[in-house]
């Protein structure tokens, strides 16, 4: 049980006028208690309430949680866990609800008389998780350092005749060799026009001379995630020069990436950072081809709440870690994305990826 | 769009007094429309309403759904999708809610005036999905046939000095060689006392002579899942005979598995099938060590709703596919589980796994 983190969550909660919250996100529970289990379809959660001991609700099938939480309520598959939770709530108060709580639990809970009202309150937890402490920052530096090395390995795999899938399937072994434990998400390897689909899944596409090669990959190392994207030009044996459009798109995306990174410092809003990149791309007339938010926060999982987008007006804070990943996707033609992670510092930011971003031609 | 399946869902829904349902389970949407995407944190769903065309709600980042559904409402990351959904609902009716719908969407929807009430209604979809049609049954036979072959391969990997992890990490390649595409869940490989934890994850435990070896594995082949468990005795070079407790537990679990399989036919309830296995184990005084339900339904995903447990009183129906997986787990000592999949037929059931269940000593 991490009392400092629980206090940070309760402070956030009280600032929102709430005295209690039911948390079911397994990663948030791990972050608060050290206990981790993946409940799949089963009920699992942690109730935090003012002036009460935290209570964890666990199926007996899960590993023993007693080391992480002194107050564990156990149940079997044949028990209904909702009355057990309702019984522990402050009935005369509103209950903060985890944004991921499934309807199958929430609707019966709302009929149980557990609380006066049910209000989304994950931002109290997510806001606390968003500010990484010193140990977390160190873990994220290490995971991104591994990712930089993996990108060098990926680049070395680019050769005529290779398929997207054959590179992607060997990346995990390389991550493990470098000290990571797993992917932080399924790797994206895209050749040619496949790069114009931002979420393309690696398939049996064979690399041709004169194609774009895009890698969007991340590892999980000591519980923390990395995530970066680099885009290359493969000239091949025929030494096919990059076409003008591909080159101009690349340079624009790189400038957008750097323009956004350049303005990050405490007090600047996520929306302003998004705009810094978007303006560079829009100035070239490609605004409609930058179809996603600029970035996302990251930590114990690869996508954490609080995105870098035009609708997120809050200022960034010291210790937050997020991606800067502008992209331009012209369907059937060109796709380029360049992504780094960074940590917000007192006077700017620390970019966690050092792998070069200059336009690079591979042979 | 599969009109036969949509009609089956709407019939189930009307039998529950509902005229509309919002479905967000990606596998249910795939089953109904042929379109599959994994939305992660983003909004995604299908609205079915009486006498209206189905409407799909998709983020523009997802692959184009227009081929699967004629009525697709698109939105961007910066849009609020809830008013778009609310606008399409029958406002004077209750709305059926997918049991997996996250609180972050459900609570705003309940405040939007979309419908008169919000009622859990996934069972209308799950009940339809539960009855596998001919093509689905054939796919499940094929996936289990592959799993039988994989079990023979697993058995061949049991030798002195091997670790749980080293076997588990090579299983995917074997599945692919056999024609499957993926695991249907992370494989469980447990040596010795690790088998007494039903959800043990493979680690660096080294196999010793005179230990139990438990494999609980499944593959995904052409979209459908397999899932089976076999438990062996490893005598090794020292030729260590099984201890009496391990042998008696094994025989009891095998008899429990066979007793349950023997009574499956249309009209018998899930609870009666559970009881048939549980009684065999309880008669030996080990009832408290059989800590989970007897089984689960399976299809496009490995755990589908409608479990084989003491609280599920409904009769089984022709075309349902589920597992029979009794286990006895005596902490720190012995763990045995034996699991088959079966299809309910007109006059009994068809067991999908043919890998032998006799007590087997490996050297």
């Amino acid at each position: 049980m991490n009392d400092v983190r629980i206090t940070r969550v309760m402070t956030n909660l009280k600032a929102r006028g709430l005295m209690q919250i039911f948390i079911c996100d397994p990663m948030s529970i791990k972050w608060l208690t050290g206990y981790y289990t993946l409940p799949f379809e089963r009920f699992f959660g942690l109730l935090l309430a003012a002036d009460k001991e935290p209570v964890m609700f666990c199926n007996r099938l899960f590993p023993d949680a007693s080391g992480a939480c002194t107050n564990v309520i156990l149940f079997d598959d044949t028990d209904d866990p909702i009355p057990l939770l309702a019984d522990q709530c402050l009935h005369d108060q509103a209950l903060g609800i985890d944004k991921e709580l499934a309807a199958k639990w929430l609707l019966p809970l709302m009929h149980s008389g557990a609380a006066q009202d049910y209000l989304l309150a994950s931002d109290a937890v997510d806001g606390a998780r968003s500010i990484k402490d010193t140990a977390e920052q160190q873990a994220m530096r290490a995971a991104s350092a591994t990712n930089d090395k993996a990108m060098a390995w990926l680049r070395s795999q680019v050769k005529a005749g290779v398929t997207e899938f054959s590179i992607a399937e060997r990346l995990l072994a390389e991550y493990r060799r470098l000290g990571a434990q797993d992917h932080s998400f399924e790797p994206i390897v895209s050749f040619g026009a496949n790069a114009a689909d931002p979420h393309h899944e690696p398939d049996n596409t064979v690399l041709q001379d004169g194609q774009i090669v895009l890698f969007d990959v991340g590892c999980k190392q000591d519980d923390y995630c990395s995530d970066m994207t680099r885009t290359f030009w493969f000239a091949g044996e025929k030494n096919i020069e990059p076409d003008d459009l591909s080159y101009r798109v690349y340079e624009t995306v790189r400038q957008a990436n750097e323009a956004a990174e350049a303005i990050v410092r405490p007090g600047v809003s996520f929306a302003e950072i998004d705009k810094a990149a978007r303006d560079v791309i829009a100035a070239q007339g490609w605004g409609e081809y930058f179809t996603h938010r600029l970035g996302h926060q990251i930590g114990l999982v690869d996508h954490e709440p609080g995105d870098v987008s035009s609708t997120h007006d809050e200022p960034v804070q010291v210790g937050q870690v997020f991606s800067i990943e502008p992209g331009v996707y012209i369907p059937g033609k060109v796709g380029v994305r360049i992504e780094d992670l960074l940590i917000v510092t007192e006077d700017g930011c620390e970019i966690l990826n050092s792998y070069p971003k200059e336009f690079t031609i591979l042979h």
Side-chain angles (χ1 to χ4, degrees), chain A residues 71-306:
Chain A
N71 206 348
V72 180
I73 294 184
L74 295 170
F75 51 88
D76 293 311
D77 272 352
T78 49
D79 297 326
D80 177 1
I82 297 302
L84 304 176
L85 168 58
D87 194 48
Q88 296 291 322
C89 294
L90 305 170
H91 306 310
D92 58 347
Q93 296 283 331
L95 175 63
I97 295 292
D98 191 311
K99 65 184 181 302
E100 298 303 335
L101 186 64
K104 65 181 166 185
W105 310 122
L106 176 57
L107 286 172
L109 183 66
M110 293 172 78
H111 287 110
S112 72
Q116 291 300 309
D117 201 359
Y118 304 85
L119 303 172
L120 287 176
S122 295
D123 55 352
V125 187
D126 297 338
R129 260 178 70 178
S130 166
I131 313 288
K132 271 67 181 173
D133 61 31
T134 308
E136 291 182 295
Q137 291 184 25
Q138 196 47 43
M140 297 207 70
R141 273 185 205 103
S144 278
T146 295
N147 216 20
D148 276 339
K149 290 178 196 155
M151 188 59 73
W153 176 85
L154 286 165
R155 177 188 158 150
S156 75
Q157 302 305 306
V158 177
K159 47 196 84 161
V162 78
T163 68
E164 295 170 351
F165 184 72
S166 74
I167 296 183
E169 74 168 349
R170 287 178 289 121
L171 177 58
L172 182 57
E174 179 64 13
Y175 273 142
R176 290 195 167 141
R177 199 185 65 77
L178 291 167
Q181 287 79 43
D182 205 351
H183 296 295
S184 57
F185 58 93
E186 287 300 307
I188 297 174
V189 178
S190 304
F191 297 160
N194 291 346
D197 169 6
H199 286 162
H200 175 70
E201 290 181 18
D203 59 24
N204 290 319
T205 300
V206 177
L207 183 61
Q208 312 289 334
D209 293 1
Q211 279 190 327
I212 272 174
V213 175
L214 182 153
F215 296 114
D216 184 351
V217 300
C219 64
K220 195 155 200 180
Q221 182 169 317
D222 301 334
D223 291 336
Y224 283 83
C225 296
S226 60
D227 185 357
M228 79 185 296
T229 308
R230 290 294 184 268
T231 307
F232 300 96
W233 179 264
F234 179 65
E237 274 206 358
K238 295 186 199 147
N239 200 16
I240 298 178
E241 293 283 303
D243 59 281
D244 185 56
L245 180 67
S246 295
Y247 180 75
R248 285 194 301 125
V249 165
Y250 187 95
E251 285 299 308
T252 301
V253 171
R254 184 176 61 78
Q255 285 162 25
N257 169 283
E258 292 171 354
E261 291 178 357
I263 69 159
V264 175
R265 63 177 180 282
V268 174
S269 76
F270 288 98
E272 287 170 296
I273 298 165
D274 180 272
K275 185 170 188 299
R278 211 163 291 275
D279 283 351
V280 172
I281 291 169
Q284 300 296 322
W286 292 322
E288 67 178 300
Y289 299 125
F290 177 17
T291 47
H292 55 73
R293 60 189 177 183
L294 181 63
H296 55 86
Q297 296 193 48
I298 183 168
L300 288 167
V301 294
D302 63 323
H303 285 193
E304 296 198 337

Side-chain angles (χ1 to χ4, degrees), chain A residues 1-77:
Chain A
M1 196 68 69
N2 189 312
D3 292 330
V4 172
R5 292 174 180 175
I6 287 175
T7 301
R8 282 168 59 196
V9 171
M10 290 308 294
T11 302
N12 288 349
L13 208 59
K14 287 173 188 170
R16 288 156 179 79
L18 284 167
M19 302 294 279
Q20 57 182 347
I21 183 170
F22 180 66
I23 302 166
C24 66
D25 176 342
M27 274 300 179
S28 289
I29 295 172
K30 175 190 172 99
W31 184 73
L32 288 166
T33 69
Y35 177 80
Y36 182 71
T37 194
L38 259 187
F40 298 104
E41 71 269 38
R42 294 180 167 101
F43 188 75
F44 173 53
L46 180 71
L47 179 69
L48 302 182
D51 308 320
K52 289 184 69 172
E53 279 285 308
V55 187
M56 196 183 282
F57 300 84
C58 284
N59 192 299
R60 262 183 239 279
L61 282 180
F62 300 165
D64 180 15
S66 59
C69 192
T70 49
N71 206 348
V72 180
I73 294 184
L74 295 170
F75 51 88
D76 293 311
D77 272 352

